[in-house]
Amino acid sequence: MDIDKPFLYDQDFYGWTQQQAKALEQRLVMELDWQHLQEEIQALGRQEYRELVSHLSVLLSHLLKWEYQPEQRSRSWFLTIREQRRAIHRHLRQNPSLKSRIEEALLDGFEAGVDLALRETNLPLRTFPEHCPYLFDDAIADNFLCDTRQDWQG
């Protein structure tokens, strides 16, 4: 491996990505920084998982607020639920192998979702269940709890 590759990776990440993309395009195997390429590809996969968890946490927080604070329901909550459901469907369509981590993502998303719901309401922690009360397929279904198949019916 060329001595400049690790230096470039640490000192000019963008330059490193361009160099590596060119080496891949031209199939210059000896020019590839294998260690850092492996790390970056794994990081990309972790990023896709984190994005799924992020969408789930926002969705679950709004479903919890919808269920446990019905007097505060709003068009904004309705649209957020709709948006997050669509984003999750789209993300799984684009990354179908993430489906193998749905249960883990639901757990991670629920923990973050409770924290988000606590920040956005005056409800005490004991209001919310300890474990996620929703099945994944239910939570992302358009007609579950908050029916987002129709327009907002405030």
Side-chain angles (χ1 to χ4, degrees):
M1 177 168 75
D2 190 326
I3 194 104
D4 290 342
K5 279 182 246 159
F7 176 79
L8 189 59
Y9 178 85
D10 292 331
Q11 300 301 314
D12 181 4
F13 183 74
Y14 178 77
W16 176 86
T17 64
Q18 300 310 294
Q19 179 189 61
Q20 293 301 294
K22 186 175 183 179
L24 285 167
E25 178 184 16
Q26 296 176 357
R27 298 189 180 1
L28 301 173
V29 175
M30 298 304 293
E31 295 298 313
L32 294 172
D33 180 355
W34 291 100
Q35 178 186 349
H36 289 122
L37 281 171
Q38 176 191 3
E39 291 170 8
E40 292 303 321
I41 289 171
Q42 289 172 330
L44 288 170
R46 288 189 300 271
Q47 181 179 329
E48 295 303 319
Y49 175 78
R50 283 191 305 271
E51 185 174 334
L52 174 62
V53 170
S54 177
H55 288 304
L56 279 168
S57 67
V58 174
L59 172 63
L60 295 172
S61 74
H62 280 75
L63 289 176
L64 289 168
K65 293 188 309 183
W66 193 269
E67 183 173 1
Y68 291 94
Q69 207 172 38
E71 69 282 356
Q72 298 293 322
R73 289 177 182 170
S74 67
R75 179 175 170 83
S76 175
W77 288 5
F78 170 86
L79 292 173
T80 297
I81 291 168
R82 178 182 164 99
E83 174 187 0
Q84 295 306 313
R85 284 175 172 162
R86 287 179 170 196
I88 291 165
H89 283 289
R90 186 173 43 256
H91 196 65
L92 290 175
R93 233 182 1 262
Q94 294 168 352
N95 299 280
S97 61
L98 276 174
K99 291 176 184 173
S100 68
R101 297 189 66 193
I102 290 296
E103 292 305 315
E104 180 185 359
L106 189 66
L107 291 174
D108 291 343
F110 182 70
E111 288 178 352
V114 168
D115 291 344
L116 186 56
L118 288 169
R119 256 193 316 278
E120 296 178 357
T121 68
N122 288 321
L123 299 173
L125 176 60
R126 68 181 174 278
T127 302
F128 301 116
E130 197 171 313
H131 303 286
C132 186
Y134 316 123
L135 298 174
F136 176 81
D137 289 337
D138 289 341
I140 65 168
D142 292 338
N143 63 342
F144 177 75
L145 202 56
C146 171
D147 191 344
T148 54
R149 295 173 301 180
Q150 312 282 329
D151 198 4
W152 164 248
Q153 304 291 322

